[in-house]
Amino acid sequence: MGSSISSFTLPKIGPACVVRADGDGGEVALDTVQMANAATIAAVGINRKMPERAIVVALATALQESKLENIEYGDRDSLGLFQQRPSKGWGKPAQLLDPRYSSRKFYSSLKKVKGWEKMRVTDAAQRVQRSAYPEAYQKWAEEAEVLAKALTGRATSAVACTLTGEPTMRGAAAAQKLTAGLKLDWGKAKVKPISPAAGLTLTVSNNDAGWRYAHWLVAHARDTGLERVRFADLEWSAPSGKWQPVTGDRKVGNARVVAEVFS
């Protein structure tokens, strides 16, 4: 792992997503595929009750190994986001090309590394990956920290994707795919449909949880036909790509997240 594609730079494919961490001055630009994969990696970590530091290590590893692209090739038989090898016992090829499975395997392996919490990002990643380039992960540490802060919900209105052109799907098909994706990544999320074709609402217990879901939704907007997200009196819309204040009856407060698909 970590040898054949280590010289790649982040590709710029399609509409851009920008992630900013509150007050830290950090900014990361990704395409929509990379952004969705980053959000899934973070969601899997949160569901497994891994600390934010683990999510930083996982994101830095995936940035180095695949540039957050779920690729079907790599060094020898390496595959997927983390370039895990079937021949080394990581799983079957089809499993390793499932971002959720590969993320779970990464976190499980990281958890077995004694003292990983106090290691540098690159040292913790290397103990899992056994790369020929053990220092390579460190260059992604700052970007991974920005992404992790946003995707764990500690940053407000931090994930913004601008989507142009025709939506990939609309109406009931979009709402169904959005609901299915949430269940796959978040398990027991409290999802309630607005209507069969309009979108859904998520009940949340606190501000951080609300922003976790809101940022996940924006990150997956391209492949789910999502048009807008509202939380904490702010709204993101696909064409503008911005979070903006909402007023009047469009306010939803801090107890629920509203996601509307293209009709």
Side-chain angles (χ1 to χ4, degrees):
M1 289 181 278
S3 58
S4 64
I5 59 171
S6 59
S7 62
F8 280 22
T9 56
L10 283 174
K12 298 295 182 183
I13 304 171
C17 298
V18 176
V19 183
R20 297 183 177 92
D22 294 340
D24 292 347
E27 179 176 307
V28 179
L30 302 173
D31 67 44
T32 54
V33 173
Q34 293 169 308
M35 190 70 248
N37 285 329
T40 288
I41 290 169
V44 171
I46 293 166
N47 273 347
R48 293 178 71 85
K49 302 188 185 305
M50 298 297 286
E52 186 175 327
R53 181 70 172 175
I55 295 169
V56 170
V57 175
L59 289 168
T61 302
L63 280 162
Q64 169 59 24
E65 295 288 1
S66 67
K67 307 305 176 279
L68 286 170
E69 297 282 353
N70 194 28
I71 53 180
E72 299 181 7
Y73 60 89
D75 179 38
R76 289 167 283 187
D77 60 339
S78 299
L79 294 168
L81 290 171
F82 297 94
Q83 289 290 279
Q84 294 154 330
R85 298 180 61 190
S87 64
K88 295 297 183 180
W90 285 92
K92 297 178 181 179
Q95 292 175 316
L96 299 181
L97 289 170
D98 176 351
R100 298 167 185 95
Y101 176 92
S102 62
S103 296
R104 289 196 297 269
K105 292 293 285 186
F106 180 86
Y107 287 120
S108 293
S109 295
L110 179 64
K111 198 171 182 178
K112 295 175 183 176
V113 176
K114 186 177 181 179
W116 71 265
E117 301 93 336
K118 297 181 180 179
M119 294 178 183
R120 291 187 306 154
V121 167
T122 199
D123 295 334
Q126 173 62 4
R127 291 289 296 273
V128 175
Q129 300 295 101
R130 307 295 182 183
S131 170
Y133 301 91
E135 289 293 320
Y137 306 102
Q138 194 63 31
K139 67 175 176 284
W140 300 108
E142 291 184 5
E143 287 89 342
E145 287 169 1
V146 170
L147 291 171
K149 183 176 181 180
L151 294 170
T152 57
R154 291 201 306 112
T156 299
S157 57
V159 177
C161 298
T162 303
L163 309 180
T164 58
E166 183 68 15
T168 55
M169 57 185 67
R170 295 174 178 270
Q176 289 170 7
K177 184 164 185 181
L178 188 62
T179 301
L182 277 161
K183 289 182 178 179
L184 283 170
D185 276 13
W186 292 103
K188 297 181 180 179
K190 297 179 180 179
V191 180
K192 181 179 179 180
I194 298 172
S195 75
L200 53 85
T201 64
L202 287 144
T203 302
V204 296
S205 57
N206 56 58
N207 201 59
D208 284 2
W211 284 115
R212 286 174 199 163
Y213 288 127
H215 290 154
W216 184 97
L217 288 161
V218 174
H220 284 272
R222 168 59 68 184
D223 59 2
T224 57
L226 188 64
E227 183 178 15
R228 55 176 47 92
V229 178
R230 291 198 298 279
F231 177 65
D233 302 334
L234 293 171
E235 178 181 85
W236 168 88
S237 64
S240 74
K242 298 177 181 178
W243 286 94
Q244 297 177 324
V246 291
T247 58
D249 60 5
R250 293 185 66 78
K251 288 186 175 183
V252 297
N254 289 8
R256 64 191 179 113
V257 180
V258 174
E260 297 176 354
V261 299
F262 282 95
S263 61

